[in-house]
Amino acid sequence: MMNEYIEIEMLPTACEIGGSFSTEASFCLDNFKAPFYDIEVKIDTGCSISTIPIKRLKVSDTLCKTLKKIDVMNGTPYFLSYGIESGGLRHEIPVTDDEKMECSAMKFEHGISDFMIGGVKISSDKICLNYDRKGNILIGMDILKDWDIHIGVSKVTGTSLFLACPMENGCRAYIDALEMHFGIS
C-alpha cells in the first residue's frame, strides 16, 4: 500500500519511560538478488547515516563474511561507525584487508532501490550495510533531513506520535494530519 506520509505511534520501552518509533520497510539492495519486504526499521534522529545490519535480515554468518570480503577487495566506499556500544573509546582505523575484515565498525555504501518506509516511497538511492552487527535497522538523518517531521502527543489518540512527509511529496493529507493531531495548520 502506497502512502503519502508516515504516521507512527511510539512503542513504549518495557519500563514505560521513553520509547521508539518503528515501522516496516521494503527495498532491493544492489548486492542481493531477492527483494526484502516488511522489514522492521527504527526511525533514529540521532543516527547520522542510515544503516542496515545485514545479519538483522537473517543472512548467514558465512554469506555476511563473503559479502564483506567482496566489498573490502573491491574498495567499496565505507564509513566507520562505532555506535553507542563502543562507549566512546578511541579506535584504530583499519588499514590492511585483514584489519578491515576484523573491524565490526565498517559500514559499506550500497545502492538501494524500490525503497519504501511505512508505505512511503523514498527517493534515496544509497544506504550503508554492516556485515558484523545484529542491531536494529536505523533510518537516520541522511534520509530524514529531506522530510518535514513532527513528534508530539496526539490530541486525537493521546499517544506520542511521529508524523513525517518527504518534502518533495508536499501532500494535503499530511497537512490535514498535522492539524488533526497537533493543531498545526
Side-chain angles (χ1 to χ4, degrees), residues 115-160:
F115 193 13
M116 295 188 66
I117 299 172
V120 175
K121 182 154 180 45
I122 305 302
S123 60
S124 180
D125 62 353
K126 299 280 184 208
I127 197 143
C128 285
L129 309 180
N130 177 287
Y131 300 108
D132 299 296
R133 296 184 177 159
K134 296 178 182 176
N136 294 311
I137 297 171
L138 302 178
I139 304 303
M141 291 308 295
D142 57 322
I143 292 173
L144 299 174
K145 69 178 174 42
D146 298 323
W147 294 13
D148 186 74
I149 298 171
H150 290 274
I151 300 172
V153 176
S154 169
K155 295 187 316 183
V156 177
T157 65
T159 60
S160 292

Side-chain angles (χ1 to χ4, degrees), residues 160-179:
S160 292
L161 196 64
F162 174 92
L163 286 180
C165 182
M167 285 188 261
E168 64 192 36
N169 287 10
C171 69
R172 183 74 218 167
Y174 173 67
I175 293 167
D176 292 344
L178 284 174
E179 185 162 356

Side-chain angles (χ1 to χ4, degrees), residues 54-159:
I54 293 298
K55 289 184 179 182
R56 188 71 173 201
L57 301 175
K58 302 196 182 345
V59 174
S60 72
D61 289 346
T62 304
L63 181 54
C64 284
K65 191 170 187 169
T66 299
L67 292 171
K68 184 174 183 178
K69 187 171 189 158
I70 290 168
D71 279 358
V72 168
M73 292 179 71
N74 287 342
T76 302
Y78 67 89
F79 300 92
L80 295 177
S81 174
Y82 295 100
I84 195 165
E85 71 278 1
S86 66
L89 300 173
R90 282 186 67 105
H91 300 275
E92 297 297 320
I93 296 173
V95 177
T96 68
D97 287 356
D98 287 342
E99 289 171 347
K100 290 175 181 177
M101 288 302 295
E102 292 299 315
C103 180
S104 64
M106 295 182 79
K107 54 185 179 184
F108 296 87
E109 190 175 69
H110 276 272
I112 190 167
S113 59
D114 300 324
F115 193 13
M116 295 188 66
I117 299 172
V120 175
K121 182 154 180 45
I122 305 302
S123 60
S124 180
D125 62 353
K126 299 280 184 208
I127 197 143
C128 285
L129 309 180
N130 177 287
Y131 300 108
D132 299 296
R133 296 184 177 159
K134 296 178 182 176
N136 294 311
I137 297 171
L138 302 178
I139 304 303
M141 291 308 295
D142 57 322
I143 292 173
L144 299 174
K145 69 178 174 42
D146 298 323
W147 294 13
D148 186 74
I149 298 171
H150 290 274
I151 300 172
V153 176
S154 169
K155 295 187 316 183
V156 177
T157 65
T159 60

